């Protein structure tokens, strides 16, 4: 002990004798650290370390890659200044890292939580915060620092390939759910990156598409969710998107990354690019896009040369470096956290199982077929997906999980018996088809092709109808980044239609019921076939415990309380954006890739957001269009009554209260939505109604009542007026509509609101005007 103390004393003496020559991060001021950095070190720090398989900084790439194998990126370490590399890893449904490592027998599986769309379908901010807590714990315990999530782009069109990662067609739902997620993850002392900022609403040509959007639609629809998330949860970082907005790459757009994000909203963190996003490193630096990920040597060179040649002010570089250092200072790596590599996966499996049930949306339940009655035990399980359940989408939104509970397993775990003969037929078909599909070339990171639905003979179905108590049919869809979905993916295939018809006919003739389970990541067509089955449960992609979660709902262990965060249109073309969305564009994309049609192809090179603010229910409800299932819709096993609605206004805050009573036989939770409708005298073109707040009750027992409180600031009733570049509240009497969905308004209140104007910067303007939809 004495010897030890002695050597420590010597070390201290040596240090003070030489003096702390080189400033150290965390010990010296940030300005001193930055002053001590060479230009090359600064350029390295803002560029990142590269990515395996792409040229990066080979000197450090191997070393930092090994920090957490499979993580998407790292920052550049500068040891002499005490700046460690910190680890950035995907993604929205849980941490995405490699599950195994060379020469290591341990495993590093992460929990696959439900997809973003399912989380939004819970409309439960506490639940989402809790899921975020569990995800953030895995980030911490596996040694990562910043989670590249949540993703909150707007569901502009049902066919966007990444809608599963995103939340909603409505910015208030997107923003509030994202904020809850960020609070949960960051409560672990790790960071988040809200993405993709902004207007990344299609995957087709995502790295070069110019989204042409009016400032009003930007402010009210595409930026609003980010604004809410920034203000309500202070994410450590923001990830800029790949696309252009009104002619400028978002990562090179100072108006977006500085004027709006920082000056107007007060964002204090760091902005990073999406992976390989943007072109001009100097413009990105100037825009306030502090870090370029994963980093390329040519970006590093451009920055060094830019400063040397006077094209990039070193003060700009210093500013960006400072923001990165401020982020690093907060990280577990910097703080020397001793991560365990052993998060409590069992506890997290319970979190995902429970949260998934709450985001499932019961679309139909005729004759109260669900929950399955106690005498119903023998299940005929149809549809390939029942046996090959989809936990989530592909690409960076995927998670390397240890297992996926199929519906087959979930039902068995819940004590149901499943016809083994039918199971064997499906499993043999799936094995053979998967082997066949594995032979066909799949491009890197692209979604896997799934086997087509299996055809069954009428007699095979008949046999099941005579010996089973009930039929379950699962319809599945998967998608992921790089690709938008095709119309064929929206509609049911011929094989699926045949299966549905055959099963419904045979089972109904035998006096038995049919339940359809939708294991999907995005909206599909339901209008043409929804009359056939008795019940439809939209289970979304419910994470690794999916089968158990569905069984919990089917059996009545949990009453579904999810509601749709988007509209299910009758036909795909009904969405107002469908005229301006890349639909089945393969041929055109090939031409663009060959360079034969540069900057010419509508919806590939550029996309005009002509529907403007009329996205989702704002369009369907304002223009009186029929829908298959409206925004905010979802059934429960119980029923609710709304009573005694009231509103009071105090200092610019409207507080609405309503009593919600469980009038049915099951315990359940209800999602209450508050929409506002502007006075007819309003000068601006306004949607018929807009969601302004929502809340979910606790679980109410039969007969129990809860008072739900919903608050909205009068200022939040504003629309964006381009002429004056201001948020404007037209004075007058606003209707406040309390709804169980956008088309099931339970109570109407009104409030007199004074006119209000709030100036903004006049930025993000269209280069050329576009025709926009008006009511
Ligand atoms: C995705 C991002 C992701 C990044 C890193 C990109 O392809 O668009 O969402 O975070 O890759 O994996």
């Amino acid at each position: 002990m004495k010897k030890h103390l002695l050597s420590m004393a010597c070390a201290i003496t040596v240090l003070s004798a030489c003096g702390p020559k080189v400033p150290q991060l965390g010990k010296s001021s940030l300005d001193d650290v930055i002053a001590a950095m060479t230009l090359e070190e600064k350029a390295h720090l803002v560029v990142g370390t590269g990515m395996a398989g792409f040229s990066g900084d080979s000197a450090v790439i191997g070393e930092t890659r090994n920090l957490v194998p499979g993580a998407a990126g790292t920052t550049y370490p500068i040891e002499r200044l005490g700046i460690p590399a910190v680890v950035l890893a995907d993604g929205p449904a849980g941490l995405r890292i490699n599950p195994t490592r060379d020469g290591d027998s341990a495993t590093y599986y992460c929990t696959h939580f439900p997809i973003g769309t399912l989380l939004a379908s819970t409309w439960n901010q506490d639940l989402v915060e809790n899921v975020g807590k569990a995800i953030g714990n895995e980030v911490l315990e596996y040694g990562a620092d910043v989670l590249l999530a949540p993703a909150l782009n707007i569901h502009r069109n049902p066919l966007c390939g990444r809608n599963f990662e995103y939340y909603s067609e409505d910015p208030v739902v997107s923003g509030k759910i994202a904020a809850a997620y960020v609070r949960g993850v960051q409560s672990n002392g790790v960071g988040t990156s809200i993405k993709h900022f902004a207007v990344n609403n299609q995957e087709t040509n995502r790295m070069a598409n110019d989204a042409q959007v009016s400032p009003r639609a930007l402010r009210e629809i595409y930026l609003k969710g980010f604004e809410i998330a920034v203000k309500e949860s202070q994410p450590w970082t923001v990830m800029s998107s790949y696309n252009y907005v009104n002619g400028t790459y978002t990562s090179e757009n100072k108006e977006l990354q500085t004027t709006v994000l920082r000056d107007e909203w007060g964002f204090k963190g760091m902005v990073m690019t999406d992976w390989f996003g943007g072109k001009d490193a100097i413009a990105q630096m100037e825009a306030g896009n502090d870090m370029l990920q994963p980093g390329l040597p040519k970006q590093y060179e451009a920055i060094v040369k830019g400063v040397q040649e006077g094209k990039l002010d070193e003060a700009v570089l210093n500013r960006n470096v400072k923001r990165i250092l401020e982020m690093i200072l907060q990280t577990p790596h910097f703080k020397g956290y001793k991560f365990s590599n052993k998060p409590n996966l069992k506890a997290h499996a319970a979190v995902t199982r429970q949260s998934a049930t709450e985001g499932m949306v019961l679309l139909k339940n005729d004759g109260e077929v669900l929950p399955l009655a106690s005498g119903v035990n023998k299940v005929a399980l149809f549809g390939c997906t029942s046996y090959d359940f989809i936990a989530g989408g592909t690409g960076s939104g995927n998670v390397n999980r240890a297992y996926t509970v199929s519906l087959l397993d979930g039902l068995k775990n819940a004590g149901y018996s499943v016809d083994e003969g039918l199971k064997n037929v499906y499993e043999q078909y799936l094995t053979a088809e998967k082997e066949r599909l594995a032979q066909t070339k799949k491009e890197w990171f692209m979604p896997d092709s799934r086997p087509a639905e299996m055809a069954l003979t009428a007699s095979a179905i008949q046999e099941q109808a005579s010996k089973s108590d009930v039929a379950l049919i699962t319809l599945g869809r998967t998608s992921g980044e790089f690709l938008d979905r095709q119309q064929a993916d929206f509609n049911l295939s011929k094989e699926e239609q045949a299966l549905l018809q055959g099963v419904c006919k045979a089972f109904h003739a035998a006096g038995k019921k049919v339940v359809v389970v939708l294991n999907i990541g995005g909206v599909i067509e339901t209008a043409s076939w929804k009359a056939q089955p008795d019940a439809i449960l939209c289970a979304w992609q419910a994470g690794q415990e999916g089968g158990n979660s569905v069984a919990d709902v089917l059996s009545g262990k949990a009453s579904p309380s999810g509601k749709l965060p988007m509209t299910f249109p009758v036909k795909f073309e009904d969405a107002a954006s469908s005229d301006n969305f890349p639909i089945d564009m393969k041929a055109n994309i090939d031409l663009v890739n060959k360079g034969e049609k540069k900057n010419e192809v509508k919806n590939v090179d550029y996309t005009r957001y002509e529907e403007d603010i009329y996205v989702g229910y704002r369009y369907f409800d304002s223009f009186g269009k029929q829908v298959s299932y409206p925004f905010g819709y979802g059934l429960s096993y119980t029923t609710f009554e709304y009573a005694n609605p009231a509103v009071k206004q105090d200092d610019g805050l409207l507080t609405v209260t309503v009593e919600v009573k469980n009038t049915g036989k099951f315990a359940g939770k209800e999602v209450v939505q508050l929409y506002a409708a502007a006075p007819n005298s309003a000068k601006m073109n306004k949607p018929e109604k807009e969601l302004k707040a929502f809340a979910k009750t606790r679980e109410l027992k039969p007969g129990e009542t809860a008072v739900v409180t919903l608050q909205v600031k009068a200022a939040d009733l504003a629309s964006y007026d381009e002429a004056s570049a201001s948020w404007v509240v037209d004075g007058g009497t606003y209707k406040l509509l309390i709804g169980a969905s956008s088309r099931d308004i339970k109570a109407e209140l009104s409030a007199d609101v004074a006119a209000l104007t709030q100036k903004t910067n006049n930025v993000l303007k269209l280069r050329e005007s576009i025709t926009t939809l008006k009511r």
Side-chain angles (χ1 to χ4, degrees), residues 179-221:
Y181 183 106
V182 169
R183 286 193 297 268
V185 173
Q186 292 192 172
S187 69
N188 291 278
V190 297
T192 55
S193 195
I194 61 172
K195 69 188 188 185
H196 310 90
F197 189 59
V199 207
N200 185 174
N201 303 110
Q202 69 179 59
E203 286 301 289
T204 303
N205 199 26
R206 65 176 181 174
M207 293 183 98
N209 176 264
D210 183 23
Q212 301 178 359
V213 201
S214 76
R216 178 172 180 190
L218 281 175
R219 297 272 185 175
E220 292 185 17
I221 308 290

Short mmCIF file of all heavy atoms in Angstrom, two decimals, residues 179-221:
data_model
loop_
_atom_site.label_atom_id
_atom_site.label_comp_id
_atom_site.label_asym_id
_atom_site.label_seq_id
_atom_site.Cartn_x
_atom_site.Cartn_y
_atom_site.Cartn_z
N ALA A 179 -40.68 12.46 -28.85
CA ALA A 179 -40.17 13.10 -27.63
C ALA A 179 -40.15 12.10 -26.47
O ALA A 179 -39.19 12.03 -25.69
CB ALA A 179 -41.01 14.32 -27.27
N ALA A 180 -41.21 11.30 -26.37
CA ALA A 180 -41.27 10.31 -25.28
C ALA A 180 -40.14 9.29 -25.44
O ALA A 180 -39.47 8.90 -24.47
CB ALA A 180 -42.63 9.60 -25.31
N TYR A 181 -39.92 8.86 -26.66
CA TYR A 181 -38.86 7.88 -26.96
C TYR A 181 -37.49 8.45 -26.58
O TYR A 181 -36.68 7.79 -25.92
CB TYR A 181 -38.96 7.57 -28.46
CG TYR A 181 -38.03 6.52 -29.00
CD1 TYR A 181 -38.50 5.25 -29.34
CD2 TYR A 181 -36.69 6.80 -29.26
CE1 TYR A 181 -37.66 4.30 -29.90
CE2 TYR A 181 -35.84 5.86 -29.81
CZ TYR A 181 -36.33 4.61 -30.13
OH TYR A 181 -35.50 3.67 -30.68
N VAL A 182 -37.25 9.70 -26.98
CA VAL A 182 -35.96 10.34 -26.69
C VAL A 182 -35.77 10.46 -25.17
O VAL A 182 -34.70 10.11 -24.64
CB VAL A 182 -35.89 11.75 -27.34
CG1 VAL A 182 -34.69 12.54 -26.82
CG2 VAL A 182 -35.83 11.62 -28.86
N ARG A 183 -36.80 10.87 -24.47
CA ARG A 183 -36.66 11.01 -23.00
C ARG A 183 -36.29 9.66 -22.38
O ARG A 183 -35.45 9.58 -21.49
CB ARG A 183 -37.97 11.52 -22.38
CG ARG A 183 -38.24 13.00 -22.64
CD ARG A 183 -39.36 13.52 -21.74
NE ARG A 183 -40.63 12.87 -22.01
CZ ARG A 183 -41.56 13.31 -22.87
NH1 ARG A 183 -41.34 14.44 -23.54
NH2 ARG A 183 -42.68 12.66 -23.05
N GLY A 184 -36.93 8.61 -22.87
CA GLY A 184 -36.66 7.28 -22.32
C GLY A 184 -35.23 6.83 -22.60
O GLY A 184 -34.51 6.42 -21.69
N VAL A 185 -34.81 6.92 -23.84
CA VAL A 185 -33.45 6.47 -24.19
C VAL A 185 -32.42 7.30 -23.42
O VAL A 185 -31.51 6.76 -22.79
CB VAL A 185 -33.20 6.60 -25.72
CG1 VAL A 185 -31.74 6.31 -26.05
CG2 VAL A 185 -34.12 5.66 -26.51
N GLN A 186 -32.59 8.63 -23.46
CA GLN A 186 -31.57 9.51 -22.88
C GLN A 186 -31.54 9.46 -21.35
O GLN A 186 -30.55 9.89 -20.75
CB GLN A 186 -31.76 10.95 -23.40
CG GLN A 186 -31.43 11.03 -24.89
CD GLN A 186 -31.30 12.44 -25.47
OE1 GLN A 186 -30.90 12.58 -26.60
NE2 GLN A 186 -31.65 13.47 -24.71
N SER A 187 -32.57 8.89 -20.73
CA SER A 187 -32.53 8.79 -19.27
C SER A 187 -31.41 7.84 -18.82
O SER A 187 -31.06 7.79 -17.66
CB SER A 187 -33.88 8.30 -18.73
OG SER A 187 -34.10 6.96 -19.11
N ASN A 188 -30.85 7.08 -19.77
CA ASN A 188 -29.73 6.19 -19.46
C ASN A 188 -28.38 6.89 -19.55
O ASN A 188 -27.34 6.24 -19.40
CB ASN A 188 -29.71 5.03 -20.45
CG ASN A 188 -30.88 4.08 -20.26
OD1 ASN A 188 -30.85 3.23 -19.40
ND2 ASN A 188 -31.93 4.25 -21.06
N GLY A 189 -28.39 8.17 -19.91
CA GLY A 189 -27.10 8.85 -20.09
C GLY A 189 -26.47 8.54 -21.44
O GLY A 189 -25.26 8.70 -21.61
N VAL A 190 -27.26 8.08 -22.38
CA VAL A 190 -26.79 7.93 -23.76
C VAL A 190 -27.60 8.88 -24.64
O VAL A 190 -28.63 9.40 -24.19
CB VAL A 190 -26.94 6.47 -24.27
CG1 VAL A 190 -26.08 5.52 -23.46
CG2 VAL A 190 -28.40 6.03 -24.26
N GLY A 191 -27.15 9.08 -25.87
CA GLY A 191 -27.80 10.06 -26.73
C GLY A 191 -28.73 9.44 -27.76
O GLY A 191 -28.80 8.22 -27.92
N THR A 192 -29.47 10.33 -28.44
CA THR A 192 -30.32 9.91 -29.56
C THR A 192 -30.00 10.80 -30.75
O THR A 192 -29.33 11.82 -30.61
CB THR A 192 -31.81 10.11 -29.23
OG1 THR A 192 -32.01 11.48 -28.84
CG2 THR A 192 -32.28 9.18 -28.13
N SER A 193 -30.51 10.41 -31.91
CA SER A 193 -30.37 11.23 -33.11
C SER A 193 -31.72 11.22 -33.81
O SER A 193 -32.09 10.20 -34.41
CB SER A 193 -29.29 10.65 -34.02
OG SER A 193 -28.92 11.59 -34.99
N ILE A 194 -32.46 12.29 -33.68
CA ILE A 194 -33.78 12.28 -34.32
C ILE A 194 -33.55 12.46 -35.83
O ILE A 194 -32.76 13.30 -36.25
CB ILE A 194 -34.74 13.34 -33.72
CG1 ILE A 194 -34.22 14.75 -33.87
CG2 ILE A 194 -35.00 13.04 -32.25
CD1 ILE A 194 -35.26 15.81 -33.45
N LYS A 195 -34.23 11.63 -36.62
CA LYS A 195 -33.91 11.58 -38.04
C LYS A 195 -35.17 11.38 -38.86
O LYS A 195 -36.17 10.96 -38.31
CB LYS A 195 -32.91 10.45 -38.29
CG LYS A 195 -33.48 9.02 -38.08
CD LYS A 195 -32.38 7.97 -38.15
CE LYS A 195 -32.95 6.57 -38.14
NZ LYS A 195 -31.91 5.53 -38.10
N HIS A 196 -35.21 11.63 -40.15
CA HIS A 196 -34.15 12.20 -40.98
C HIS A 196 -34.61 13.60 -41.30
O HIS A 196 -35.66 13.76 -41.94
CB HIS A 196 -33.98 11.37 -42.25
CG HIS A 196 -33.85 9.89 -41.96
ND1 HIS A 196 -34.93 9.02 -41.88
CD2 HIS A 196 -32.76 9.12 -41.69
CE1 HIS A 196 -34.50 7.80 -41.61
NE2 HIS A 196 -33.19 7.83 -41.49
N PHE A 197 -33.84 14.58 -40.89
CA PHE A 197 -34.25 15.99 -40.89
C PHE A 197 -33.88 16.64 -42.21
O PHE A 197 -32.74 17.00 -42.40
CB PHE A 197 -33.57 16.69 -39.71
CG PHE A 197 -34.05 18.08 -39.45
CD1 PHE A 197 -35.38 18.33 -39.17
CD2 PHE A 197 -33.17 19.16 -39.49
CE1 PHE A 197 -35.84 19.62 -38.92
CE2 PHE A 197 -33.61 20.46 -39.23
CZ PHE A 197 -34.95 20.68 -38.95
N ALA A 198 -34.77 16.79 -43.09
CA ALA A 198 -36.21 16.56 -43.03
C ALA A 198 -36.72 16.21 -44.42
O ALA A 198 -35.99 16.30 -45.38
CB ALA A 198 -36.91 17.82 -42.53
N VAL A 199 -38.03 15.85 -44.45
CA VAL A 199 -38.77 15.61 -45.70
C VAL A 199 -38.23 14.41 -46.47
O VAL A 199 -38.26 14.37 -47.68
CB VAL A 199 -38.82 16.87 -46.61
CG1 VAL A 199 -40.07 16.82 -47.48
CG2 VAL A 199 -38.84 18.16 -45.81
N ASN A 200 -37.74 13.41 -45.74
CA ASN A 200 -37.32 12.15 -46.37
C ASN A 200 -38.54 11.23 -46.42
O ASN A 200 -38.68 10.33 -45.61
CB ASN A 200 -36.19 11.55 -45.54
CG ASN A 200 -35.56 10.30 -46.15
OD1 ASN A 200 -34.58 9.79 -45.63
ND2 ASN A 200 -36.10 9.79 -47.24
N ASN A 201 -39.41 11.49 -47.39
CA ASN A 201 -40.68 10.74 -47.40
C ASN A 201 -40.79 9.71 -48.50
O ASN A 201 -41.85 9.15 -48.73
CB ASN A 201 -41.86 11.72 -47.52
CG ASN A 201 -41.81 12.74 -46.40
OD1 ASN A 201 -41.54 13.91 -46.63
ND2 ASN A 201 -42.03 12.28 -45.19
N GLN A 202 -39.70 9.51 -49.24
CA GLN A 202 -39.68 8.43 -50.23
C GLN A 202 -38.28 7.86 -50.26
O GLN A 202 -37.30 8.55 -49.95
CB GLN A 202 -40.11 8.93 -51.60
CG GLN A 202 -39.13 9.89 -52.27
CD GLN A 202 -39.59 10.34 -53.64
OE1 GLN A 202 -40.65 10.95 -53.76
NE2 GLN A 202 -38.81 10.03 -54.67
N GLU A 203 -38.19 6.60 -50.62
CA GLU A 203 -36.89 5.94 -50.70
C GLU A 203 -36.34 5.96 -52.12
O GLU A 203 -35.13 5.91 -52.32
CB GLU A 203 -37.01 4.51 -50.19
CG GLU A 203 -37.13 4.42 -48.69
CD GLU A 203 -35.94 5.07 -48.00
OE1 GLU A 203 -34.84 4.53 -48.04
OE2 GLU A 203 -36.13 6.17 -47.41
N THR A 204 -37.23 6.05 -53.11
CA THR A 204 -36.79 6.06 -54.50
C THR A 204 -35.87 7.26 -54.74
O THR A 204 -36.26 8.40 -54.49
CB THR A 204 -38.04 6.16 -55.41
OG1 THR A 204 -38.89 5.06 -55.08
CG2 THR A 204 -37.65 6.10 -56.88
N ASN A 205 -34.66 6.96 -55.21
CA ASN A 205 -33.66 8.01 -55.49
C ASN A 205 -33.48 8.94 -54.29
O ASN A 205 -33.33 10.16 -54.43
CB ASN A 205 -34.10 8.82 -56.72
CG ASN A 205 -32.93 9.57 -57.34
OD1 ASN A 205 -31.78 9.17 -57.21
ND2 ASN A 205 -33.22 10.68 -57.99
N ARG A 206 -33.45 8.34 -53.11
CA ARG A 206 -33.50 9.16 -51.89
C ARG A 206 -32.29 10.09 -51.74
O ARG A 206 -32.37 11.11 -51.06
CB ARG A 206 -33.62 8.28 -50.65
CG ARG A 206 -32.40 7.39 -50.40
CD ARG A 206 -32.55 6.61 -49.11
NE ARG A 206 -31.39 5.78 -48.85
CZ ARG A 206 -31.20 5.08 -47.76
NH1 ARG A 206 -32.11 5.10 -46.81
NH2 ARG A 206 -30.14 4.36 -47.59
N MET A 207 -31.17 9.73 -52.38
CA MET A 207 -29.98 10.56 -52.19
C MET A 207 -29.89 11.71 -53.18
O MET A 207 -28.96 12.52 -53.12
CB MET A 207 -28.72 9.71 -52.26
CG MET A 207 -28.66 8.76 -51.08
SD MET A 207 -27.19 7.79 -51.06
CE MET A 207 -26.18 8.71 -49.92
N ALA A 208 -30.85 11.79 -54.10
CA ALA A 208 -30.79 12.88 -55.08
C ALA A 208 -32.15 13.46 -55.40
O ALA A 208 -32.27 14.31 -56.26
CB ALA A 208 -30.12 12.37 -56.35
N ASN A 209 -33.16 13.02 -54.71
CA ASN A 209 -34.50 13.54 -54.99
C ASN A 209 -34.67 14.93 -54.37
O ASN A 209 -34.27 15.17 -53.23
CB ASN A 209 -35.55 12.58 -54.41
CG ASN A 209 -36.96 13.11 -54.57
OD1 ASN A 209 -37.52 13.72 -53.66
ND2 ASN A 209 -37.53 12.90 -55.74
N ASP A 210 -35.27 15.82 -55.16
CA ASP A 210 -35.55 17.16 -54.64
C ASP A 210 -37.02 17.24 -54.23
O ASP A 210 -37.92 17.19 -55.08
CB ASP A 210 -35.25 18.20 -55.73
CG ASP A 210 -35.47 19.64 -55.23
OD1 ASP A 210 -35.42 19.85 -54.00
OD2 ASP A 210 -35.69 20.53 -56.08
N ALA A 211 -37.25 17.34 -52.93
CA ALA A 211 -38.62 17.48 -52.44
C ALA A 211 -39.00 18.96 -52.57
O ALA A 211 -38.37 19.82 -51.95
CB ALA A 211 -38.71 17.03 -50.99
N GLN A 212 -39.99 19.23 -53.39
CA GLN A 212 -40.41 20.63 -53.61
C GLN A 212 -41.68 20.87 -52.81
O GLN A 212 -42.75 20.36 -53.15
CB GLN A 212 -40.60 20.87 -55.11
CG GLN A 212 -39.30 20.59 -55.87
CD GLN A 212 -39.41 20.76 -57.38
OE1 GLN A 212 -40.46 21.09 -57.90
NE2 GLN A 212 -38.30 20.54 -58.07
N VAL A 213 -41.52 21.60 -51.73
CA VAL A 213 -42.58 21.73 -50.73
C VAL A 213 -42.77 23.19 -50.35
O VAL A 213 -41.79 23.91 -50.15
CB VAL A 213 -42.21 20.98 -49.43
CG1 VAL A 213 -43.44 20.67 -48.61
CG2 VAL A 213 -41.41 19.73 -49.68
N SER A 214 -44.00 23.62 -50.20
CA SER A 214 -44.24 25.01 -49.81
C SER A 214 -43.77 25.22 -48.38
O SER A 214 -43.80 24.30 -47.56
CB SER A 214 -45.74 25.33 -49.90
OG SER A 214 -46.40 24.75 -48.78
N PRO A 215 -43.33 26.45 -48.07
CA PRO A 215 -42.94 26.73 -46.68
C PRO A 215 -44.06 26.41 -45.70
O PRO A 215 -43.81 25.96 -44.59
CB PRO A 215 -42.65 28.24 -46.71
CG PRO A 215 -42.24 28.52 -48.12
CD PRO A 215 -43.06 27.58 -48.98
N ARG A 216 -45.31 26.60 -46.13
CA ARG A 216 -46.40 26.31 -45.20
C ARG A 216 -46.47 24.81 -44.88
O ARG A 216 -46.57 24.44 -43.70
CB ARG A 216 -47.75 26.78 -45.80
CG ARG A 216 -48.88 26.43 -44.87
CD ARG A 216 -50.22 27.00 -45.27
NE ARG A 216 -51.21 26.57 -44.28
CZ ARG A 216 -52.50 26.72 -44.42
NH1 ARG A 216 -52.99 27.32 -45.50
NH2 ARG A 216 -53.33 26.31 -43.48
N ALA A 217 -46.42 23.97 -45.92
CA ALA A 217 -46.47 22.53 -45.66
C ALA A 217 -45.25 22.09 -44.87
O ALA A 217 -45.33 21.22 -44.00
CB ALA A 217 -46.59 21.76 -46.97
N LEU A 218 -44.10 22.71 -45.15
CA LEU A 218 -42.91 22.37 -44.37
C LEU A 218 -43.15 22.66 -42.90
O LEU A 218 -42.97 21.80 -42.03
CB LEU A 218 -41.71 23.21 -44.84
CG LEU A 218 -41.02 22.75 -46.11
CD1 LEU A 218 -39.95 23.77 -46.51
CD2 LEU A 218 -40.40 21.38 -45.92
N ARG A 219 -43.56 23.87 -42.62
CA ARG A 219 -43.71 24.30 -41.22
C ARG A 219 -44.80 23.52 -40.49
O ARG A 219 -44.63 23.12 -39.35
CB ARG A 219 -44.08 25.80 -41.18
CG ARG A 219 -43.03 26.72 -41.74
CD ARG A 219 -42.05 27.11 -40.68
NE ARG A 219 -41.09 28.10 -41.15
CZ ARG A 219 -40.19 28.66 -40.36
NH1 ARG A 219 -40.13 28.35 -39.08
NH2 ARG A 219 -39.34 29.52 -40.84
N GLU A 220 -45.93 23.31 -41.17
CA GLU A 220 -47.08 22.69 -40.47
C GLU A 220 -47.01 21.17 -40.42
O GLU A 220 -47.52 20.56 -39.48
CB GLU A 220 -48.40 23.11 -41.15
CG GLU A 220 -48.71 24.58 -40.99
CD GLU A 220 -50.07 24.97 -41.56
OE1 GLU A 220 -50.92 24.08 -41.80
OE2 GLU A 220 -50.27 26.18 -41.79
N ILE A 221 -46.43 20.58 -41.47
CA ILE A 221 -46.47 19.11 -41.55
C ILE A 221 -45.08 18.49 -41.36
O ILE A 221 -44.89 17.64 -40.49
CB ILE A 221 -47.04 18.64 -42.92
CG1 ILE A 221 -48.37 19.32 -43.22
CG2 ILE A 221 -47.15 17.11 -42.96
CD1 ILE A 221 -49.54 18.90 -42.37
#
